[in-house]
């Protein structure tokens, strides 16, 4: 009997120490996002009876692209990825304004340029009647954001603003389980934030039973993620009290001070 496709879903595939690889599937076909390791993806495909039809990449770091060659040996599928991030295996380069019609799936993903973590980093957004999804690689994390390895604070701040402008119910599928560490930093900055306290309690319970804290939502991130809250007086006050910010600093300076403090927190 030929399998009948079902509604689209996203399967969480843990890898390495704290990576999440994502399989978007309809019960028959699947596309993988940022396969840093091929073996867990091949195992998940087999366990769920799925056929790989596409690979989607957000940026060039090895823990996001390391499994691509092995997957291509298994399935000759198109590789979508950033136009300007130097990934040799990408044969369908995309950038801001493009839409990826994912082969084998009734799914279109809008592409956003989100430089900061790397110069050419992109994100994929599903915005249709079915659901709102964001696959953002290492740009936005649960309670945090990526390190600025190649971009500037101004670039990352602008990239995060694009993501924060997505609908509140957008599910945030980032690539790492960094949430509790990020929330400890957020709590030091904004100890009176009730939404943050509730999130810490909830996500601590999830991790206590080895469940992922991801996906979160854009609404949750806007309420609790300090990198989306650089105008909050409590956060500015904490930076100033710690000697990391001069009074009257502009928003990019606030963001840069936040990122620099998080790097050593």
């Amino acid at each position: 009997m030929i399998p009948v496709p079902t509604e689209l879903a996203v399967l969480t595939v843990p890898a390495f120490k704290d990576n999440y690889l994502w399989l978007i599937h309809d019960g028959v076909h699947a596309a993988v996002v940022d396969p840093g390791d091929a073996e867990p993806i091949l195992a998940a495909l087999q366990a769920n009876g799925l056929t790989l039809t596409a690979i989607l990449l957000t940026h060039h770091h090895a823990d996001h692209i390391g499994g691509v060659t092995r997957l291509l040996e298994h399935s000759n599928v198109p590789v979508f990825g950033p136009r300007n991030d130097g990934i040799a295996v990408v044969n369908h380069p995309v950038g801001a304004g493009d839409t990826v019609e994912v082969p084998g799936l009734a799914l279109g993903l809008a592409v956003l340029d989100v430089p900061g973590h790397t110069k050419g980093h992109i994100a994929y957004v599903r915005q249709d009647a079915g659901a709102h999804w964001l696959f953002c690689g290492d740009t936005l994390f649960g309670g945090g954001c990526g390190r600025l390895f190649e971009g500037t604070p101004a670039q990352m701040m602008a990239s995060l603003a694009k993501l924060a402008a997505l609908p509140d119910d957008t599910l945030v599928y980032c690539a790492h389980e960094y949430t509790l560490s990020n929330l400890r930093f957020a709590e030091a900055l904004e100890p009176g934030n009730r939404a943050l306290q509730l999130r810490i309690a909830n996500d601590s319970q999830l991790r206590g039973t080895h469940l992922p804290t991801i996906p979160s939502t854009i609404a949750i991130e806007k309420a609790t993620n300090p990198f989306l809250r650089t105008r909050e007086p409590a956060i500015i006050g904490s930076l100033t009290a710690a000697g990391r910010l001069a009074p009257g600093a502009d928003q990019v300076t606030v963001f840069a001070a936040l990122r620099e403090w998080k790097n050593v927190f």
Side-chain angles (χ1 to χ4, degrees):
M1 181 180 294
I2 299 174
V4 178
T6 60
E7 291 186 9
L8 292 173
V10 181
L11 183 65
T12 307
V13 182
F16 307 121
K17 180 182 177 182
D18 51 35
N19 282 69
Y20 289 135
L21 321 180
W22 305 109
L23 272 177
I24 311 167
H25 71 93
D26 63 1
V28 179
H29 300 121
V32 63
V33 182
D34 283 351
D37 188 357
E39 298 312 315
I41 293 300
L42 291 172
L45 291 169
Q46 182 175 17
N48 292 276
L50 301 172
T51 299
L52 188 68
T53 58
I55 295 171
L56 303 166
L57 306 176
T58 63
H59 67 291
H60 66 76
H61 288 158
D63 62 324
H64 293 253
I65 69 170
V68 173
T69 300
R70 172 78 176 93
L71 290 175
L72 291 176
E73 292 171 356
H74 183 268
S75 306
N76 184 20
V77 300
V79 181
F80 299 88
R83 183 173 288 124
N84 301 308
D85 216 45
I87 307 175
V89 292
V90 170
N91 51 31
H92 288 70
V94 294
D98 292 333
T99 299
V100 175
E101 297 296 338
V102 182
L105 300 175
L107 175 64
L109 296 172
V111 179
L112 299 177
D113 284 344
V114 286
H117 184 66
T118 69
K119 289 182 179 179
H121 202 304
I122 63 173
Y124 301 93
V125 180
R126 178 191 184 188
Q127 284 186 278
D128 58 30
H132 297 154
W133 297 343
L134 166 66
F135 298 93
C136 52
D138 287 355
T139 298
L140 176 65
F141 291 131
C145 75
R147 287 178 179 259
L148 305 183
F149 288 123
E150 298 174 11
T152 66
Q155 285 178 317
M156 181 62 101
M157 187 172 164
S159 294
L160 292 174
K162 291 180 189 178
L163 303 186
L166 295 172
D168 279 354
D169 65 349
T170 301
L171 295 175
V172 177
Y173 292 97
C174 64
H176 289 276
E177 182 58 75
Y178 291 162
T179 309
L180 289 184
S181 173
N182 288 337
L183 296 182
R184 284 193 290 271
F185 177 61
E187 186 178 30
L189 289 160
E190 207 177 4
N193 183 334
R194 179 60 178 158
L196 176 58
Q197 294 168 358
L198 291 172
R199 184 179 187 183
I200 290 170
N202 180 71
D203 287 356
S204 295
Q205 185 174 24
L206 289 172
R207 295 308 295 153
T209 53
H210 305 289
L211 292 173
T213 63
I214 305 301
S216 65
T217 67
I218 290 296
I220 290 170
E221 295 306 326
K222 289 196 297 187
T224 60
N225 188 326
F227 294 97
L228 302 184
R229 297 172 60 78
T230 55
R231 296 184 184 277
E232 289 298 316
I235 290 176
I236 294 170
S238 292
L239 287 165
T240 304
R244 293 182 170 274
L245 190 69
D250 61 31
Q251 289 303 298
V252 173
T253 303
V254 173
F255 183 90
L258 269 179
R259 187 59 259 182
E260 289 169 5
W261 195 2
K262 178 63 174 68
N263 290 346
V264 298
F265 186 78

